[in-house]
């Protein structure tokens, strides 16, 4: 039936009682008969409203320490009965089952219990059985029943009860049912993921409750939505809403900056670093990061791992950029940076990030572990006659962090903890190297004494030869080519040091 349904009987059994009082008072005013259990029943009585214990309806007590309370035909029959189905109505009369028109039930806090670090027994006890069954039953029968499965919907219900004098429309009931099934499916996904932590079942399940509708996707003709809690990740101090492309760049910026502990600033464009430097003071890091490629920095995303002070902000303010991310800002810095109203200024909050990555691919989804490995000097195996100096090892480590977060095929030049140039996303490694040399020369960098990192092995010795001609004195690569020895021999002939890490860092 599609006509309005007047609420006459309600079942209320909730874990969270926040903001429930106004609803109880309104139901009481409307003369709605309320059935309830346990603590909710006690709460309702404390408000002076009449309430009938579910045990009195079923003539059966709560058993097994509360595990079985509402799982009874007199409860589920009242919820699932079809009002326009004669056979259902005959059985309802035969077994004296009251129609239940409103169900307010939430779920035990399973996810919160898991996050608290509770033991398995406590976690298992927070797997709701009766509650989720009641929610599903009421949502299934939305043609006749209103289901409210979250305290977040109490205000909407309260307004509806008051404005419609206890009557509901089919559109409203269907909307509540949609929300209810969202809650139950998310709950079941969380339980499955708890049991499948060892990934014995290769099943892909994700459920993210919060979302932000974006202005558009990668391009204006594409729709875009971010699923996740941006407010937990960032506090926005200024600017417009983050776009799809902003978010992609911000994600790349966060991943890159997390590799560094010393004061560091990185500038990214289309997910690749066009400038990055580590220094003792954050302003010096900014100056040297910008010097790498001030042309590409225009319109980019900037990220820092230390507080932005007024002096740094003053210098930054000379450049047009889209987004700035830092863990903190001085008040003076914020005032300076806010001079551009659309400039997005974000304070990064300490949020645990996922350790898996996935994306749609063909007719399915592909998933992998995040690349959380970066090889430092102790993992670098020298393979040439010449050994890298201590400074070269430090710079190779710096370059290796950058190359890991740059689109393949990639070559990175670095010196004194500063990116000097990179060749990005080329179809051949030697073209990436040539691109990096051109970039370095165009911005006046002297590559003599600089180091080079490659995300993958050299299939031929041409990259090593060209690097030596450009002034590179030390090279890092993972190794693994059948022609590794050719590259080693070329390094020895040209007098440069080479180390291998054994770990490739492709990024597509």
């Amino acid at each position: 039936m599609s006509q309005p349904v007047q609420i006459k009987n309600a079942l209320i059994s909730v874990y969270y009682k926040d903001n429930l009082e106004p609803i109880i008072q309104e139901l009481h005013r409307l003369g709605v008969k309320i059935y309830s259990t346990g603590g909710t029943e006690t709460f309702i009585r404390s408000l002076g409203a009449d309430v009938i214990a579910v045990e009195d309806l079923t003539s059966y007590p709560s058993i097994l320490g509360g595990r079985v309370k509402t799982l009874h035909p007199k409860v589920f029959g009242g919820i699932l009965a079809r009002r326009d189905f004669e056979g259902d109505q005959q059985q309802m009369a035969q077994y004296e089952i009251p129609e239940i028109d409103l169900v307010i039930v939430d779920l035990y806090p399973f996810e919160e219990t898991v996050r608290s670090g509770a033991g398995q027994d406590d976690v298992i006890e927070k797997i709701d059985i009766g509650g989720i069954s009641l929610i599903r039953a009421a949502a299934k029968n939305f043609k006749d029943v209103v289901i409210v499965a979250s305290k977040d919907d109490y205000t909407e219900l309260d307004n509806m009860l008051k404005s419609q004098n206890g009557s509901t429309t089919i559109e409203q009931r269907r909307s509540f049912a949609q929300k209810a099934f969202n809650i139950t499916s998310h709950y079941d996904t969380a339980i499955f993921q708890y049991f499948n932590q060892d990934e014995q079942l290769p099943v892909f399940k994700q459920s993210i409750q919060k979302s932000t509708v974006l202005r558009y996707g990668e391009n204006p003709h594409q729709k875009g939505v971010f699923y996740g809690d941006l407010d937990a990740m960032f506090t926005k101090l200024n600017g417009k809403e983050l776009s799809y492309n902003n978010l992609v760049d911000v994600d790349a910026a966060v991943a890159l900056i997390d590799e560094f502990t010393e004061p560091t600033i990185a500038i990214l464009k289309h997910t690749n670093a066009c400038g990055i430097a580590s220094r003792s003071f954050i302003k010096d890091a900014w100056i040297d990061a910008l010097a790498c490629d001030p042309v590409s920095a225009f319109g980019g995303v900037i990220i820092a791992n230390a507080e932005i002070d007024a002096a740094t902000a003053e210098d930054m303010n000379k450049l047009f950029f889209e987004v700035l991310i830092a863990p903190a800002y001085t008040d003076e810095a914020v005032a300076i940076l806010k001079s551009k109203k659309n400039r997005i200024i974000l304070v990064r909050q300490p949020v645990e990030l996922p350790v898996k990555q996935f994306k749609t691919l063909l007719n399915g989804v592909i998933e992998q572990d995040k690349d959380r490995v970066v090889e430092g000097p102790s993992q670098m195996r020298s393979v040439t006659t010449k050994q890298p100096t201590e400074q070269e090892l430090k710079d190779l480590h710096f370059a290796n962090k950058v190359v890991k977060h740059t689109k393949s095929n990639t070559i990175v030049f670095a010196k004194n903890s500063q990116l000097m140039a990179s060749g990005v996303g080329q179809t051949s490694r030697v073209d990436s190297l040539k691109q990096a040399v051109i970039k370095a020369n165009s911005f006046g960098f002297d590559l003599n004494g600089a180091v080079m990192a490659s995300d993958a092995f050299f299939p031929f010795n041409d990259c090593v030869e060209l690097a030596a001609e450009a002034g590179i004195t030390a090279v890092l690569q993972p190794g693994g080519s059948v022609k590794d020895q050719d590259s080693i021999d070329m390094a020895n002939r040209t007098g440069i040091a080479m180390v291998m890490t054994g770990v490739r860092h492709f990024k597509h």
Side-chain angles (χ1 to χ4, degrees), residues 101-160:
D101 315 295
L102 168 64
V103 175
I104 304 177
V105 172
D106 60 12
L107 299 170
Y108 291 155
F110 178 82
E111 289 180 280
E112 293 89 334
T113 305
V114 172
R115 283 196 294 266
S116 74
Q120 179 174 283
D121 288 348
D122 290 333
V123 170
I124 296 304
E125 284 307 307
K126 288 299 184 288
I127 297 177
D128 208 312
I129 303 301
I132 202 165
S133 301
L134 291 166
I135 292 170
R136 288 177 62 85
K140 175 178 179 177
N141 202 24
F142 71 90
K143 288 175 65 178
D144 301 304
V145 180
V146 181
I147 172 62
V148 176
S150 169
K151 63 183 184 205
D152 295 338
D153 296 324
Y154 286 175
T155 299
E156 182 181 352
L157 174 65
D158 188 40
N159 292 336
M160 186 177 73

Side-chain angles (χ1 to χ4, degrees), residues 203-267:
V203 176
F204 181 81
K205 288 183 186 289
Q206 288 288 331
S207 178
I208 301 174
Q209 293 290 72
K210 293 195 174 184
S211 64
T212 302
V213 177
L214 306 174
R215 295 195 302 274
Y216 49 82
E218 198 163 9
N219 299 291
H221 63 277
Q222 297 170 270
K223 291 181 179 180
V225 181
F226 173 80
Y227 295 98
D229 189 355
L230 281 176
D231 291 337
M233 183 87 195
F234 302 109
T235 300
K236 190 173 76 169
L237 304 181
N238 189 68
K240 58 188 178 181
E241 297 303 314
L242 287 162
S243 70
Y244 181 99
N245 292 329
N246 288 156
L247 286 167
V248 173
D249 283 335
V250 166
D251 177 68
V254 167
L256 173 59
I257 204 70
D258 281 353
E259 303 286 0
F260 298 87
T261 54
E262 60 274 36
T264 301
I265 286 185
I267 309 168

Side-chain angles (χ1 to χ4, degrees), residues 165-459:
N165 208 34
S167 178
T168 66
T169 67
I170 184 66
E171 292 80 15
Q172 289 168 335
R173 296 192 296 275
R174 193 182 192 285
S175 175
F176 277 116
Q178 180 187 48
K179 294 177 182 179
F181 280 124
N182 175 46
I183 288 169
T184 59
S185 64
H186 177 79
Y187 195 78
D188 283 335
T189 297
I191 294 170
F192 169 76
Q193 289 175 335
Y194 174 77
F195 278 91
N196 198 44
Q197 292 178 67
D198 56 4
E199 300 181 352
Q200 286 190 1
L201 281 179
V203 176
F204 181 81
K205 288 183 186 289
Q206 288 288 331
S207 178
I208 301 174
Q209 293 290 72
K210 293 195 174 184
S211 64
T212 302
V213 177
L214 306 174
R215 295 195 302 274
Y216 49 82
E218 198 163 9
N219 299 291
H221 63 277
Q222 297 170 270
K223 291 181 179 180
V225 181
F226 173 80
Y227 295 98
D229 189 355
L230 281 176
D231 291 337
M233 183 87 195
F234 302 109
T235 300
K236 190 173 76 169
L237 304 181
N238 189 68
K240 58 188 178 181
E241 297 303 314
L242 287 162
S243 70
Y244 181 99
N245 292 329
N246 288 156
L247 286 167
V248 173
D249 283 335
V250 166
D251 177 68
V254 167
L256 173 59
I257 204 70
D258 281 353
E259 303 286 0
F260 298 87
T261 54
E262 60 274 36
T264 301
I265 286 185
I267 309 168
L268 288 87
K269 200 75 171 288
H270 299 295
T271 75
N272 296 301
C274 57
I276 181 169
S278 298
R279 294 291 182 262
S280 299
F281 299 99
I282 202 67
K283 183 180 179 182
D284 294 336
W286 161 249
I287 291 170
D288 288 343
L290 181 62
C292 176
D293 186 348
V295 175
S296 296
F298 183 87
V301 168
I302 304 168
I303 190 164
N305 63 359
E307 182 181 68
I308 302 297
D309 56 26
T312 307
E314 197 73 60
D315 211 60
M316 285 179 166
N317 204 39
K318 300 172 185 176
L319 176 74
F320 168 74
F321 58 86
E322 288 273 339
V323 184
L324 173 60
I325 310 156
Y329 303 81
T330 65
D331 292 342
E332 295 88 347
V334 172
I336 294 165
L337 294 165
K338 279 186 172 182
S339 62
K340 305 291 192 295
K341 69 176 183 178
N342 287 330
R343 176 185 286 159
I344 302 169
I345 306 172
L346 302 175
V347 179
R348 184 181 172 188
Q349 305 298 336
V351 173
E352 185 177 354
L353 298 175
V355 296
K356 297 280 189 180
Q357 294 174 310
F358 60 87
K359 63 179 179 180
T360 58
L361 191 148
L362 299 175
N363 62 342
V365 173
I366 192 167
E367 182 184 70
Q368 67 172 355
D369 298 332
K370 274 189 176 178
D371 184 357
R372 298 195 292 167
V373 174
V374 174
E375 307 74 47
S378 62
Q379 290 86 42
M380 298 176 189
R381 178 173 61 91
S382 180
V383 294
T384 49
T385 302
K386 182 184 176 184
Q387 303 294 301
T389 66
E390 185 176 342
Q391 182 60 46
E392 286 172 337
L393 286 171
K394 182 180 178 181
D395 285 337
L396 287 170
H397 190 199
F398 178 93
N400 198 29
K401 292 175 181 179
V402 178
V403 86
K404 169 186 166 182
H405 294 277
T406 307
K407 292 287 186 182
S408 300
N409 289 312
T410 182
I411 291 291
V412 165
F413 295 152
K415 184 163 66 174
N416 297 327
S417 299
Q418 178 188 22
L419 175 65
M420 306 193 80
S422 59
V424 177
Q426 299 301 304
T427 51
S428 72
R429 194 156 305 280
V430 71
D431 283 346
S432 293
L433 192 152
K434 290 175 181 177
Q435 182 191 61
V437 171
I438 292 170
K439 293 275 280 187
N441 290 337
S442 68
F443 293 110
F445 282 108
D446 180 6
L447 291 177
N448 286 292
V451 304
M452 178 176 85
S454 173
D455 60 330
F457 64 64
F458 300 121

